[in-house]
Amino acid sequence: MASSILSDCSSSATSRLLPLRRALLAQPSRFRPTTAAAPPRRPLFVAAPLPRTGGMASVSSSSSSAAAASSTDSACAKIIDGKLVAKQIREEIAVEIAKMKDAIGIVPGLAVILVGSRKDSQTYVRNKKKACEAVGIKSFEVNLPEDSSEDEVLKHIATFNSDPSVHGILVQLPLPHHMNDENILNAVSIEKDVDGFHPLNIGRLAMQGRDPFFVPCTPKGCMELLHRYGVEIKGKRAVVIGRSNIVGMPAALLLQKANATVSIVHSNTKKPEEITRQADIVIAAVGVANLVRGSWIKPGAAIIDVGINPVDDPESPRGYRLVGDVCYEEASKIAGLITPVPGGVGPMTIAMLLANTVESAKRIHKFK
């Protein structure tokens, strides 16, 4: 049965992942769109191999709106273009940074600590650094060897915690096996925890009437896509597939804060396809390629696919291609809105990291 082998881990691309106020879920974005093209916002198991299709649709950069419908011949769902939305958000962030620098002479700063030489982690850090430079955020970077001690990492965190020019601290995961992730992440000041992983941030997110300093970047990016594409959340049924601390659980909490009726599908869920088929909104973050089939999808549902999984493809120069947790070829014929993989949630994660860093600087320096 499918539910017996559903994994709860997040995919590797989501391993790293403006404090959340109720206004985020009920008001327009705190950053005003810089182009007229921005869409209106609402108040802020292993699957069988699939035949390859002619490619997934995407929204052209010349599109008049991020919410413009773009679909393949075989798909009826509108494509949620994460690349285009992330680009709009970066433009909005650059404007905010310029205003802050002109008004009070402050430039937001983001510090990244990388331990070891994993190629994927190095790529993530490099992309984050490029994104910071593009919008005007100052980057601080510490690269430590694989055999560094936990104390060395903690010393660097303490230095950044006390540095007034650093407004956000990110420890790149995964850490080497000899290190305690919990000890290291808990050492980051809650006021600079732009990844949103501190237990106090998650705890405040879970409580009624409390707001965290920061929301984890990938779930926040999922919600931003829903808001920017005008997806109604209040009163709707939502299903989150996966319950990781990084994506699944905070995504469910955010949907609940937005007044959706939320169910979580996990490795012990009975008949997950029947539960998922009731959902108006599905966020899949389980790390299993093509797990969610077309038969799981309610017609017209909004599908946010966080997964990014390599599958063998002899036609690709790399020998593989990337697919999501949702079977795109099937789901795109039934859903109303769907994120492609790649090009959907991925670009939003870094955009939300930049947004969190700017919001941290604004809060610390009391700049509105």
Side-chain angles (χ1 to χ4, degrees), residues 13-14 56-60 66 70 78-87 90 221-222 225 229 303-309 318 321-324 328 338-351:
T14 61
M56 60 184 73
S58 62
V59 179
S60 167
S70 177
K78 294 181 181 178
I79 306 306
I80 297 177
D81 191 336
K83 286 184 178 179
L84 182 55
V85 174
K87 179 177 181 290
R90 291 195 302 270
C222 295
L225 288 174
Y229 274 78
I303 310 299
I304 305 294
D305 191 350
V306 179
I308 182 163
N309 312 286
R318 297 177 296 182
R321 61 190 171 101
L322 298 176
V323 301
Y328 181 87
I338 190 169
T339 57
V341 176
V345 175
M348 293 296 295
T349 297
I350 291 181

Side-chain angles (χ1 to χ4, degrees), residues 236-241 261 263 273-283 296-303:
K236 298 297 182 179
R237 290 180 177 268
V239 165
V240 178
I241 304 175
T261 300
S263 298
E273 64 279 10
E274 293 184 10
I275 296 172
T276 305
R277 199 159 43 238
Q278 299 176 34
D280 303 296
I281 299 166
V282 176
I283 296 180
W296 292 37
I297 305 302
K298 178 181 179 179
I303 310 299

Side-chain angles (χ1 to χ4, degrees), residues 113-117 142-149 152-153 156 179:
I113 298 173
L114 173 62
V115 185
S117 56
V142 171
N143 292 286
L144 298 173
E146 182 86 15
D147 59 356
S148 297
S149 69
E152 288 180 83
V153 178
H156 284 289
M179 294 186 181

Side-chain angles (χ1 to χ4, degrees), residues 18-22 190 193 196 198-207 209-216 254 257 359 363:
L18 319 162
L20 181 71
R21 297 190 291 265
R22 282 185 291 275
I190 189 173
D193 172 39
H198 195 287
L200 290 179
N201 271 323
I202 296 296
R204 292 177 66 89
L205 179 61
M207 297 177 69
R210 305 286 182 89
D211 292 321
F213 282 97
F214 304 102
V215 172
L254 286 169
K257 274 187 176 285
E359 192 65 20
R363 179 171 51 241

Side-chain angles (χ1 to χ4, degrees), residues 138-219:
K138 186 175 181 180
S139 289
F140 301 82
E141 188 175 337
V142 171
N143 292 286
L144 298 173
E146 182 86 15
D147 59 356
S148 297
S149 69
E150 190 172 307
D151 284 342
E152 288 180 83
V153 178
L154 293 173
K155 287 178 182 177
H156 284 289
I157 292 175
T159 299
F160 288 136
N161 279 341
S162 60
D163 187 342
S165 64
V166 173
H167 305 96
I169 302 171
L170 182 151
V171 180
Q172 182 69 38
L173 297 179
L175 289 165
H177 293 302
H178 66 278
M179 294 186 181
N180 186 310
D181 291 15
E182 185 176 354
N183 288 344
I184 289 174
L185 295 177
N186 289 357
V188 176
S189 167
I190 189 173
E191 294 184 348
K192 297 186 179 183
D193 172 39
V194 289
D195 251 347
F197 292 160
H198 195 287
L200 290 179
N201 271 323
I202 296 296
R204 292 177 66 89
L205 179 61
M207 297 177 69
Q208 293 288 339
R210 305 286 182 89
D211 292 321
F213 282 97
F214 304 102
V215 172
C217 300
T218 298

Side-chain angles (χ1 to χ4, degrees), residues 44 66 99 101 104 123 200 295:
L44 234 271
K99 288 179 180 177
K101 184 177 180 180
I104 61 175
T123 299
L200 290 179
S295 60

